Amino acid sequence: MKRIFIEFAGITTGLGDVICIMPLLDKFRQYNDCELFIQVKNPIAHKLFRETYPHVKFVANPPEDLSLFDKSFSLVHEKPNVPLQQTFAPQLGFFDKEYIRPKVDSFKKERPIKNKYVTVGIHATSQLKYWNHPSGKRFQPDSPNWDDLCGMIRKAGYTPVVV
């Protein structure tokens, strides 16, 4: 079986970024019928995918000898205003813009809030989602502000919760 190593150039160590691209990487692995090794700098990322993506191997640093792999390359994230899957899909050889919903392993814990809720992470690693980011509206002009978004969440019957 082929062995392929992928590292990420310009991607953050943010957990959300890794969660977002995992289904695309698994699609790549299946399409290429390979053993896929990816460099993920976030130390807890691999714990979220052990069962969901068992055929994807996580490494913290690039191997010293890349000749152990049939192919190795870097994925580059250069466009902060383009969704990650759309940015990486062409680099992996996929040109459809179909979004693939990420999956993570299930962790059975007691719900911290009994009502239905939506969690909102305002502390993005690139700070692009901060309400006071000087270029936020320029990069995402159609995005609602936090008050609008929380209002939409409440109208849908959920409680917005900041994490």
Side-chain angles (χ1 to χ4, degrees):
M1 180 175 278
K2 290 185 291 189
R3 294 167 47 105
I4 298 177
F5 174 75
I6 297 177
E7 68 176 335
F8 300 100
I11 189 171
T12 68
T13 58
L15 197 52
D17 292 355
V18 178
I19 290 170
C20 179
I21 60 173
M22 283 306 299
L24 189 62
L25 292 172
D26 195 52
K27 179 180 177 180
F28 174 84
R29 181 197 61 77
Q30 291 173 29
Y31 181 80
N32 287 281
D33 189 25
C34 69
E35 191 174 7
L36 184 62
F37 295 80
I38 61 170
Q39 177 188 359
V40 176
K41 295 177 183 176
N42 191 306
I44 65 164
H46 70 281
K47 294 178 184 177
L48 297 175
F49 308 113
R50 285 183 187 146
E51 293 177 28
T52 307
Y53 302 105
H55 303 292
V56 177
K57 312 286 190 268
F58 297 88
V59 296
N61 298 305
E64 289 184 24
D65 185 5
L66 288 175
S67 69
L68 299 172
F69 298 91
D70 297 293
K71 185 176 183 180
S72 65
F73 58 94
S74 294
L75 296 177
V76 181
H77 183 233
E78 297 174 334
K79 302 174 183 174
N81 58 335
V82 175
L84 279 176
Q85 285 189 12
Q86 287 183 19
T87 299
F88 290 130
Q91 296 177 55
L92 292 169
F94 302 116
F95 295 96
D96 58 357
K97 299 206 178 198
E98 175 191 351
Y99 173 76
I100 307 170
R101 184 178 176 158
K103 298 175 187 172
V104 295
D105 293 354
S106 176
F107 298 95
K108 303 280 184 190
K109 290 191 174 186
E110 186 176 323
R111 290 174 56 97
I113 299 171
K114 299 301 177 200
N115 301 337
K116 295 188 294 184
Y117 63 95
V118 173
T119 58
V120 180
I122 63 169
H123 298 287
T125 47
S126 65
Q127 296 186 353
L128 185 58
K129 295 173 185 77
Y130 272 88
W131 66 271
N132 62 346
H133 188 286
S135 302
K137 274 296 190 189
R138 183 168 50 102
F139 285 120
Q140 298 182 15
D142 298 328
S143 296
N145 63 38
W146 289 115
D147 289 338
D148 294 340
L149 180 61
C150 288
M152 292 163 49
I153 291 170
R154 283 188 191 95
K155 282 183 182 176
Y158 296 90
T159 301
V161 177
V162 175
V163 292

